[in-house]
Amino acid sequence: MTSENAGNGAAHVSTGTIEAGEAAEAAIPELVIISGMSGAGRSTAAKCLEDLGWFVVDNLPPALIPTMVELGARSQGNVARIAVVVDVRGRRFFDNLRESLADLETKHVTRRIVFLESSDDALVRRFESVRRPHPLQGDGRIVDGIAAERDLLRELRGDADLVIDTSSLNVHELRAKMDAQFAGDEEPGLRATVMSFGYKYGLPVDADLVVDCRFLPNPHWVPELRPYTGLNEEVSGYVFDQPGAKEFLNQYTELLQLIATGYRREGKRYVTIAVGCTGGKHRSVAMSEKLAARLSSEGVETVVVHRDMGRE
């Protein structure tokens, strides 16, 4: 994955206002706002949505987002889904984003914010690999530009409906994540990503909830199970034969039902549940698979990702 190209300037969009009579009949398009760190994969995410049939506008000044939605409503259903990429290339317009989001809310426009995140180390490597400066570094270093951008985007990241950490993802893995969230024809009440990970590799920065499976005995110390992963039936059986494993799965699933109800009430549509063990190979993988199966059986559209399996 490489950093995004600087582009050729802001997008050009005609302006206009829907009359009251038209607005009553106009179908308001679905709106996704893509933002995040430069170099984290905004362009890849936008291209993925474009391939899924979304009308994508790159580098649109935030003040023009409501106008873009109005134009979509005029299209008589031809533009039913709009994705807008907002980033620091339009930083002189960025202060208008909050006002535009408030305007969309008063017009009852359903909007979602996707925020692409990545570690400083990964971003530096990507900018250096393409020999391009960071848009905000000025006369300073790449890390100075990254720090300035993080500060500028901090509030927007907090408002995001979906945060995707691309630090260890390649282009195909990012596209798979976007496909998992947006390819469906029907909009689910809640979409969940259940991610196994190893604590020795660090916590996933995009996790909403973190589960620790290190209270269970480690199959790593059983010689005949050590070479396998939690996807293996014998390993999974060993994990769930341990005291507390099934009880934990049952009670945590019940807790997630309560949390999911609150998320839906607050308009949060995406959740990432990180399930960890020491190395991310045995216990967390087995628990993630069972937890995802439970969520799916209860009507939650669920994607399973094993972040660290195979790294040892």
Side-chain angles (χ1 to χ4, degrees):
M1 184 184 303
T2 60
S3 60
E4 288 88 342
N5 294 328
N8 299 317
H12 298 283
V13 181
S14 302
T15 60
T17 303
I18 300 177
E19 299 296 332
E22 295 180 39
E25 298 180 358
I28 299 177
E30 183 179 358
L31 174 66
V32 168
I33 298 172
I34 300 173
S35 191
M37 299 297 294
S38 298
R42 294 185 307 249
S43 293
T44 298
K47 290 176 182 176
C48 181
L49 290 185
E50 189 172 23
D51 291 342
L52 292 173
W54 290 66
F55 185 86
V56 178
V57 184
D58 192 12
N59 198 22
L60 182 71
L64 293 181
I65 293 177
T67 301
M68 190 72 247
V69 174
E70 290 179 352
L71 292 175
R74 289 177 179 272
S75 70
Q76 299 179 342
N78 292 322
V79 181
R81 299 183 297 176
I82 298 174
V84 175
V85 181
V86 176
D87 55 60
V88 293
R89 285 175 291 171
R91 53 190 176 277
R92 61 194 173 113
F93 301 101
F94 207 81
D95 292 338
N96 301 125
L97 180 58
R98 179 63 56 188
E99 182 179 345
S100 294
L101 292 178
D103 186 19
L104 293 172
E105 187 173 351
T106 61
K107 295 177 180 178
H108 306 291
V109 176
T110 300
R111 58 90 176 150
R112 289 172 288 172
I113 299 175
V114 177
F115 192 96
L116 281 299
E117 175 66 277
S118 195
S119 68
D120 287 2
D121 289 344
L123 294 175
V124 169
R125 287 197 304 271
R126 291 168 189 170
F127 277 105
E128 289 181 342
S129 69
V130 295
R131 299 181 180 180
R132 296 186 63 88
H134 187 281
L136 294 185
Q137 77 179 73
D139 295 329
R141 300 176 301 160
I142 292 175
V143 291
D144 298 324
I146 292 172
E149 187 175 34
R150 285 200 191 282
D151 185 63
L152 181 65
L153 297 178
R154 183 174 292 110
E155 186 175 355
L156 181 61
R157 188 190 190 284
D159 290 339
D161 299 283
L162 175 63
V163 177
I164 300 178
D165 177 27
T166 68
S167 301
S168 59
L169 300 181
N170 60 35
V171 172
H172 303 293
E173 290 168 334
L174 174 55
R175 290 185 66 92
K177 279 204 167 191
M178 292 294 294
D179 285 342
Q181 299 294 347
F182 293 99
D185 294 330
E186 297 183 1
E187 182 67 26
L190 183 69
R191 293 180 179 179
T193 297
V194 180
M195 177 190 300
S196 68
F197 74 95
Y199 276 93
K200 69 179 182 181
Y201 301 114
L203 288 169
V205 300
D206 53 345
D208 296 297
L209 304 168
V210 177
V211 178
D212 188 352
C213 289
R214 291 176 295 180
F215 71 94
L216 297 170
N218 193 347
H220 175 82
W221 303 114
V222 181
E224 59 269 26
L225 298 180
R226 182 179 302 175
Y228 302 104
T229 72
L231 298 178
N232 177 271
E233 290 185 7
E234 292 184 4
V235 173
S236 181
Y238 174 86
V239 170
F240 284 96
D241 281 342
Q242 303 305 314
K246 294 177 181 176
E247 292 81 359
F248 177 82
L249 176 64
N250 293 334
Q251 293 182 32
Y252 191 68
T253 302
E254 292 181 6
L255 178 60
L256 286 178
Q257 292 174 343
L258 178 64
I259 294 173
T261 300
Y263 277 165
R264 294 187 184 100
R265 185 171 56 246
E266 294 299 315
K268 184 175 177 64
R269 297 166 184 259
Y270 307 95
V271 60
T272 297
I273 305 165
V275 182
C277 64
T278 303
K281 178 180 179 180
H282 296 115
R283 293 165 291 181
S284 62
V285 172
M287 186 65 71
S288 293
E289 290 289 330
K290 293 289 187 181
L291 182 59
R294 289 285 187 90
L295 293 174
S296 296
S297 69
E298 294 168 5
V300 177
E301 187 170 338
T302 307
V303 178
V304 184
V305 177
H306 299 302
R307 192 192 74 174
D308 298 325
M309 190 171 68
R311 291 185 65 173
E312 75 287 344

